[in-house]
Amino acid sequence: MQNYTLTRSKRKTIAIHVRDGIVEVRSPFKTPKSEIDKFVKSKEKWIENTLAKSAESKIQRDNFTLNYGSQILYRGSEIPIVAKHGNRVGFDSENRHFYLPPNLNPEQIKSACIQVYRVLAKCDLTEKVLRFAKMMNVMPTAVKINSAKTRWGSCSGRKSLNFSWRLIMADDDVIDYVVVHELAHITEMNHSERFWAIVESVLPDYRERKLRLKSLQKRLCGEDWG
């Protein structure tokens, strides 16, 4: 049977998580070990397939590198990285490219692109938040950009919205879904039926947008952005 690490908590069901080649089983405190082993064995095929995909993603991440001429995502479009004389970094909206100083190494190019992404995310996401906030008759206390790798957005108890800069890689329809999702949390801080009703009232096709977000997540699993 597959080896795994076990984490017990107050949860009500058993769940299996596979990340970076490690299988973690999360279970309720009182669940017998024999029952956990039985559950893991029943999911053996799924675990093997997931481990194989995880290994493939790791190889892709290890080989991920950026150079001048590389194409990276911005609001769903592939945008080239070009060298531009000087010390400035930025996004040329007219010619549709990221511009960086010449002679940077791949790690410096990546770092510079992230710097540009963060600026774009702050500007674009704030604009979208204000537009949808007006439609939904809510208002966050702040819009912040972070470096979260597995969480696209969040809403704090103080109604401050936080977004990963990586979200700016998604196309506009998908970005709108995440923005509306977090704005809905200002009214409903859970994922109740009332919460999803709010989301659906603004974006009737939110389910399809949510699936497309997963596609982006899959792509990013093979890209090492640090």
Side-chain angles (χ1 to χ4, degrees), residues 69-224:
S70 295
Q71 303 263 345
I72 56 177
L73 284 174
Y74 170 55
R75 292 176 71 163
S77 297
E78 297 281 356
I79 305 294
I81 301 170
V82 303
K84 181 179 180 180
H85 182 71
N87 297 316
R88 299 179 64 184
V89 302
F91 173 68
D92 185 327
S93 58
E94 182 178 349
N95 296 303
R96 304 290 293 172
H97 61 240
F98 282 60
Y99 60 85
L100 317 175
N103 303 317
L104 299 181
N105 64 41
E107 279 302 311
Q108 290 172 324
I109 290 175
K110 183 196 299 183
S111 178
C113 287
I114 292 173
Q115 183 181 339
V116 177
Y117 270 135
R118 293 184 72 96
V119 172
L120 292 170
K122 179 64 175 180
C123 178
D124 296 354
L125 293 177
T126 299
E127 180 183 332
K128 285 178 175 292
V129 166
L130 293 176
R131 176 162 59 88
F132 281 106
K134 186 175 181 180
M135 291 171 54
M136 298 167 69
N137 197 31
V138 294
M139 185 55 65
T141 57
V143 178
K144 301 176 182 179
I145 304 301
N146 59 35
S147 299
K149 295 181 180 180
T150 59
R151 197 170 188 179
W152 298 108
S154 63
C155 176
S156 73
R158 296 185 177 182
K159 301 181 180 179
S160 172
L161 301 190
N162 301 278
F163 298 99
S164 170
W165 62 261
R166 291 167 171 79
L167 179 60
I168 207 63
M169 296 183 184
D171 65 57
D172 280 334
D173 285 349
V174 173
I175 295 173
D176 290 349
Y177 160 68
V178 177
V179 168
V180 169
H181 183 116
E182 300 311 328
L183 283 170
H185 277 312
I186 293 178
T187 304
E188 292 288 333
M189 286 299 291
N190 50 38
H191 289 108
S192 63
E193 289 185 9
R194 285 185 296 180
F195 168 83
W196 290 112
I198 293 171
V199 175
E200 190 168 22
S201 69
V202 183
L203 301 174
D205 63 341
Y206 80 87
R207 294 177 182 84
E208 188 270 336
R209 299 176 189 231
K210 188 176 180 181
L211 288 175
R212 283 157 61 190
L213 185 61
K214 290 184 178 180
S215 295
L216 175 60
Q217 180 69 66
K218 183 177 180 180
R219 168 170 171 164
L220 293 185
C221 281
E223 297 183 359
D224 180 15

